[in-house]
Amino acid sequence: MLKIQNKAFTLIETCVVLFIIGLISLFAMQQMHNYRARQAERLFFERFEATWHATREYVAVEPHNVRLSWNQAEHTLRYTSADPQYRNMNVPIPVTLICVNPNAWFNIKFNHDSGTKPQTLICQSKIDGHRYEYRVQMMWGMLHVKT
């Protein structure tokens, strides 16, 4: 009598393979999410520095004052001025960043005839706890202290 051998996978083997593939893809998706969130933070700080320098140059030339504030409700940085160019210009903040010292962010004024008070602006990432520190220097300058 001829014996027929079954060369297919069993249900348990198939479930184990699918479980392992699921774990690997879950890990990969989490890493991709973290990578995108870190990129969003990096792009935020690049845009923040660009708008900071543009505002500083604008105030040095134009007789208008500009105020920078952290809008917690909308999670944005808001530049406000009497000039229509800076009336409610917003820079969105990634949801992964929190403001460590919110009082420092609420009273930054770019004055045409004087500099701003020296202070340190600190944000912290919810992803890995990384701290970003920016030191506001006299005469509207900014020094990137630590990332």
Side-chain angles (χ1 to χ4, degrees):
M1 185 167 182
L2 238 165
K3 192 173 188 184
I4 300 176
Q5 290 183 351
N6 189 0
K7 295 188 179 189
F9 291 108
T10 65
L11 181 60
I12 293 175
E13 291 172 332
T14 305
C15 288
V16 168
V17 169
L18 289 176
F19 179 74
I20 291 171
I21 290 172
L23 282 178
I24 291 171
S25 63
L26 181 66
F27 177 74
M29 287 174 51
Q30 182 64 33
Q31 291 300 318
M32 180 60 81
H33 175 71
N34 287 345
Y35 173 76
R36 287 183 179 163
R38 282 192 294 274
Q39 286 297 97
E41 289 176 2
R42 184 184 62 80
L43 290 173
F44 163 73
F45 284 110
E46 286 177 4
R47 184 166 181 202
F48 169 64
E49 287 183 19
T51 56
W52 180 279
H53 292 299
T55 303
R56 184 188 63 178
E57 291 172 5
Y58 168 78
V59 170
V61 175
E62 297 294 326
H64 300 287
N65 296 335
V66 178
R67 178 184 296 256
L68 172 66
S69 62
W70 181 291
N71 187 338
Q72 290 180 322
E74 297 175 9
H75 209 59
T76 59
L77 287 179
R78 176 172 287 170
Y79 291 87
T80 55
S81 175
D83 184 15
Q85 179 181 356
Y86 280 98
R87 186 170 294 145
N88 296 330
M89 183 178 78
N90 296 327
V91 177
I93 302 168
V95 295
T96 58
L97 284 177
I98 57 173
C99 180
V100 175
N101 56 346
N103 292 335
W105 289 88
F106 287 121
N107 296 320
I108 299 174
K109 297 174 190 169
F110 296 88
N111 296 322
H112 177 70
D113 54 353
S114 65
T116 187
K117 183 176 82 174
Q119 54 193 319
T120 302
L121 310 175
I122 304 171
C123 291
Q124 188 166 0
S125 175
K126 292 179 186 176
I127 299 170
D128 54 5
H130 195 79
R131 289 171 62 101
Y132 300 92
E133 296 181 10
Y134 288 87
R135 181 162 297 137
V136 178
Q137 299 293 322
M138 306 263 300
M139 297 306 294
W140 316 296
M142 182 174 66
L143 172 65
H144 181 248
V145 176
K146 180 170 51 169
T147 60

